[in-house]
Amino acid sequence: MSEIQLYEYDTALMVAKGVLGKIKPLCKDAMIVGGLRRGLAQVHDIDLIAFPEDHFTMSIELGNGYKHVLSSKIKHSFKVLGINVEIWLANTERQFEVLKLIRTGSAGFNRNLCMAANEKNMSLRYSYKDKLCGLYGAAKAWTKDETTGQSREK
């Protein structure tokens, strides 16, 4: 198994601010999220979120400024100084706000957030495909069986 490369906060922040400076004029909103927003001393990648004015123009600009940009409806991915950069895309302000929450939080934070929503018979959703994002009333509620450790319907 390969070791994950970590990058110092200052180096990653410099790269993130450079990318953000390039995309922000093309967006209704954009920001740094992930480990950099959480203030981690070292990060393994750079996460940004963007609510572009026009997805096509943003793709062209990224392609002109960076090599080997992989673009989809959901995100743009590329490397700067060897650091993986991902720009997660929103189509609405609501999507942007939910992306800010889930892309800033660690996996543990997101799991706890989903569990807290579940305890209130709700569900935290982010789906690019069906455009559902935010908290929704759950049609079914689930709980963890303490004896077996398995999830089951309440």
Side-chain angles (χ1 to χ4, degrees):
M1 187 170 172
S2 65
E3 192 173 310
I4 294 175
Q5 175 71 41
L6 295 176
Y7 302 92
E8 295 299 320
Y9 176 87
D10 291 339
T11 302
L13 185 62
M14 176 195 67
V15 170
K17 284 182 176 181
V19 174
L20 187 63
K22 187 163 185 68
I23 66 168
K24 197 145 189 169
L26 307 170
C27 297
K28 295 174 186 167
D29 206 351
M31 69 183 300
I32 298 167
V33 293
L36 286 174
R37 186 166 186 233
R38 293 193 313 270
L40 299 180
Q42 295 180 316
V43 296
H44 70 276
D45 67 357
I46 294 171
D47 290 308
L48 296 103
I49 57 172
F51 181 10
E53 294 281 351
D54 173 38
H55 289 268
F56 180 75
T57 302
M58 186 174 184
S59 293
I60 296 297
E61 286 299 315
L62 288 170
N64 288 336
Y66 302 102
K67 293 181 180 179
H68 310 295
V69 177
L70 299 175
S71 296
S72 71
K73 294 179 191 177
I74 300 170
K75 69 178 179 177
H76 299 290
S77 302
F78 51 95
K79 288 187 178 195
V80 178
L81 300 179
I83 306 172
N84 290 324
V85 178
E86 293 182 326
I87 304 172
W88 297 88
L89 304 171
N91 288 320
T92 66
E93 185 176 346
R94 184 174 181 157
Q95 277 185 337
F96 183 85
E97 294 302 323
V98 174
L99 271 175
K100 186 189 312 180
L101 177 70
I102 63 175
R103 291 290 162 198
T104 295
S106 65
F109 170 80
N110 288 330
R111 182 185 61 250
N112 291 342
L113 199 57
C114 289
M115 288 171 52
N118 185 266
E119 288 171 5
K120 298 182 184 312
N121 291 327
M122 299 190 83
S123 160
L124 176 64
R125 294 282 313 261
Y126 181 83
S127 172
Y128 192 90
K129 184 177 179 181
D130 60 19
K131 297 185 176 39
L132 290 177
C133 58
L135 281 173
Y136 292 89
K140 293 182 180 180
W142 298 86
T143 188
K144 185 174 182 179
D145 186 314
E146 296 302 324
T147 55
T148 65
Q150 300 293 314
S151 294
R152 62 175 172 80
E153 193 173 342
K154 278 187 181 180

